Amino acid sequence: MSETRSTSRGRSRHRRRKTALLAGIPLALTSAGAMAYGGVFGVFGADAQPEASAASATTSARTASSALAGVTDVANGFASVNALGQNGTYGGRDGQTVTVKTLADLERYATASEPYVIVVAATISMNPVGKEIKVQSDKTIIGSGTSGQIVGGGFFLGQGVHNVIIRNLTIRDAYQGVWNDKEHDFDGIQMDGAHHVWIDHNDIRHMADGLIDSRKDTTYLTVSWNKLSQDNKAFGIGWTENTTADITIHHNWIRETEQRNPSTDNVAHAHLYNNFLEDEAGTTIKSSYGNYSRGKTNMVLENSYFQGMTNPVVRDATATLVQRGNVFSGTSGKNESGGSGAAWDPKKYYAYTLDKAADVPALLKSGAGPRSSVARASGGTSGATTTSAAATTLTVAADGSGQYRTVQAAVNAVPANNASRVVISVKPGTYRELVKVPSNKPHVTIQGSGGSRKDTTIVYNNASGTPKPDGSGTYGTGGSATVAVDADDFQARNLTISNDFDEAAHQDIANQAVALRTSADKVLLDGVIVSGDQDTLLVDTASKDKLGRVYITNSYVIGNTDFIFGRATAVIDKSVITLKKRWNGTSAGYVTAPSTAANRKGILIANSTVSGDVSDRSFYLGRPWHAGGDASLDPQTTVRNTSLSAAIRTTPWTDMSGFSWKADRFAEYKNTGAGSGAASSERPILTDAQATNQEVADWLGDWTPTAG
């Protein structure tokens, strides 16, 4: 950090009631994947049911119309079997259709005794966090395009609840900062003794306990075409001594999860096929096992794909497991089958068609999870086609299959002073280029179109001391950024932004090397990786007198020295901060270096994890950067409700360039883990009263981050 970056604030902000944040909404992705719905369902995309202007929930008598998603088609797998007085699973087909945008309306209709098709057409935040709506029988709950989001909670189906369809939703972010959380039973979908349930084409991630729990003899359940990710426990089944449940699990993409992938305990007939289990290399999440046949389970496992998994298939001595046609790539440990149970054939219960195991990764990367719009199915388990979203989208592909070959070319194509959002959809690949979004191009989203944020990478290797090619000097710290954002209302998601400057090879020049620099207001980063060494993420403002707010969620920030720094008002929420060794293998570093102006908010790390493969007690949480020696600055970092590894020093703050941290604003609140500690003169801890003024909403003011 060699440049002067001071700020000031010319206005005050009145206190207000804090509201839940509606952040991290994934935008529609055009996909070649498939959904075999059996009809045209117009709540996806442009054919969505019109909203009443004066109400948050609307009803429609068009219950027989093909414009109603999830009404005319019927579940597959065991959910389609006639049993227990229920003829298959068709949800709220026989009731009214309502469109909901509030928690009150969603709960009203989901808990009603009458059948309903409930179309979720907004992001709905649970209050309190962890709330699970108690869904009653004969319901279809389905997202409208990709706008149906449930944040901070989920659904509960109790004993005897039946004939329920949950489709096309994103259910996310009840995570409370503890990876293997034993305190908070906050699931995405929990079923206790339910039957005839179809869970289809959802994205469920980052919860406090399980993503899906099927318990207490829940049966005639089909779980299909879902994305399950970013959680310690993916999908647990069982929890009784009975062996009566019949369950089908097919075409699910399970990744970045440690256990219960799924764990299947005492299930009479468990049919798992065409699933993709992926342990992504390079993340802190490591699988302990994959598919697990426990107790007296009788499992048939067919044509699934296991990538990098530890113990991909595990069987108890009392269980039965038949494997057919599975692919194992880069796996290790147990891969078991056998048992003394009676062989059974799923086709005696229902019809199904297997996709080739080798095709499963590509099929699920393009087809699992919520869809933006759907066309008429053409047959088979994956024979439907999707139509593209109506949003303005520019496509980038290095191989020439998109509109542009580089990200910068797409940015250049955005009209100056554009009034509405432009999505730059970047196909998987590595894009070695510099990207700058100028201040006259607001409302831009750069979004990776791959299945993982690691599939699409924008990378370059400039450093502060790198000479410019025109001979006009060096880049300087801010100028070294791989991606530089000067435009307000910018968003990035589902990609990696990196600076891979080689410090070991260039010890002769200043080695500050920024991956991402923002100098704008209302910047939303959701589901990204920002990776570098020193000065990875520069959160700046356009000038000393301008406010710049940045909200980062569900993301990774990686570095070693002052790698989150600047004068912006920045929040890192529900994310992982990964500590990295220096170029010479030593462990020593600083997480934050704020240069905040007096009377302005600085850097807030909340509900997150700070860890990495470094030595114990080797990293500070932060130090005060008085950019340019400006004594009027009042740097601020608060770290709260966050898990700190033993890498954090017992005295986590330190001085910088002659300025004492004690003269500025550094504090913690209710952190956990080996790196946390008790309050002392060297470790300020906020009181409960102080902490009420240092919450996420205080940092963001009148801005609620939402996808455009």
Side-chain angles (χ1 to χ4, degrees), residues 610-611 616-617 642-650 668 671-678 683:
V610 180
S611 63
D616 288 358
R617 310 305 178 193
T642 288
S643 175
L644 305 178
S645 78
I648 300 304
R649 292 176 178 265
T650 55
E668 299 175 76
N671 292 325
T672 59
S676 62
R683 190 159 201 166

Side-chain angles (χ1 to χ4, degrees), residues 604-628:
L604 173 64
I605 298 171
N607 312 306
S608 295
T609 298
V610 180
S611 63
D613 185 17
V614 296
S615 301
D616 288 358
R617 310 305 178 193
S618 60
F619 272 72
Y620 291 98
L621 286 175
R623 56 181 180 169
W625 179 30
H626 284 257

Side-chain angles (χ1 to χ4, degrees), residues 291-312:
N291 291 165
Y292 189 177
S293 183
R294 300 179 60 176
K296 297 180 181 180
T297 291
N298 195 327
M299 179 183 292
V300 174
L301 174 58
E302 301 182 285
N303 285 34
S304 289
Y305 197 106
F306 298 81
Q307 176 68 52
M309 298 293 293
T310 302
N311 302 316

Side-chain angles (χ1 to χ4, degrees), residues 462-618:
N462 282 339
S464 178
T466 301
K468 293 182 179 180
D470 62 3
S472 62
T474 60
Y475 282 99
T477 300
S480 71
T482 299
V483 176
V485 176
D486 298 324
D488 290 346
D489 195 22
F490 172 84
Q491 301 181 4
R493 55 173 44 82
N494 197 43
L495 51 77
T496 295
I497 299 171
S498 177
N499 190 316
D500 63 355
F501 172 72
D502 188 345
E503 288 190 54
H506 295 285
Q507 282 294 293
D508 56 325
I509 64 175
N511 56 17
Q512 297 93 340
V514 176
L516 173 63
R517 174 182 64 80
T518 69
S519 62
D521 192 29
K522 300 180 180 179
V523 174
L524 170 60
L525 309 176
D526 181 8
V528 302
I529 299 171
V530 185
S531 178
D533 289 310
Q534 181 170 347
D535 291 8
T536 302
L537 174 61
L538 172 53
V539 285
D540 205 357
T541 63
S543 63
K544 290 178 61 175
D545 60 347
K546 289 198 174 180
L547 177 65
R549 289 168 291 182
V550 180
Y551 182 71
I552 304 168
T553 186
N554 187 31
S555 295
Y556 290 80
V557 184
I558 303 168
N560 50 42
T561 303
D562 303 326
F563 63 98
I564 303 168
F565 72 110
R567 66 185 171 204
T569 296
V571 176
I572 301 173
D573 188 20
K574 300 174 183 175
S575 294
V576 176
I577 296 170
T578 301
L579 311 176
K580 183 179 179 182
K581 291 181 179 178
R582 299 299 304 272
W583 64 273
N584 58 4
T586 60
S587 294
Y590 314 85
V591 177
T592 67
S595 58
T596 323
N599 301 314
R600 182 172 287 173
K601 299 291 188 182
I603 296 171
L604 173 64
I605 298 171
N607 312 306
S608 295
T609 298
V610 180
S611 63
D613 185 17
V614 296
S615 301
D616 288 358
R617 310 305 178 193
S618 60

Side-chain angles (χ1 to χ4, degrees), residues 43 49-51 55-60 97-102 105 109 117-122 144:
V43 296
Q49 177 182 325
E51 299 297 330
S56 58
T58 61
T59 62
S60 171
T97 295
V98 295
T99 299
V100 301
K101 293 186 176 181
T102 67
D105 285 327
Y109 292 110
V117 174
I118 304 165
V119 180
V120 181
S144 174

Side-chain angles (χ1 to χ4, degrees), residues 78 245-249 267-273 297-302 320-322 324 341-350 352:
F78 272 116
D246 291 343
I247 293 174
T248 304
I249 303 165
V267 173
H269 300 102
H271 185 203
L272 283 64
Y273 71 91
T297 291
N298 195 327
M299 179 183 292
V300 174
L301 174 58
E302 301 182 285
T320 298
L321 197 157
V322 175
R324 292 193 287 260
W344 68 283
D345 181 3
K347 289 187 176 178
K348 292 184 177 180
Y349 295 84
Y350 51 82
Y352 68 100

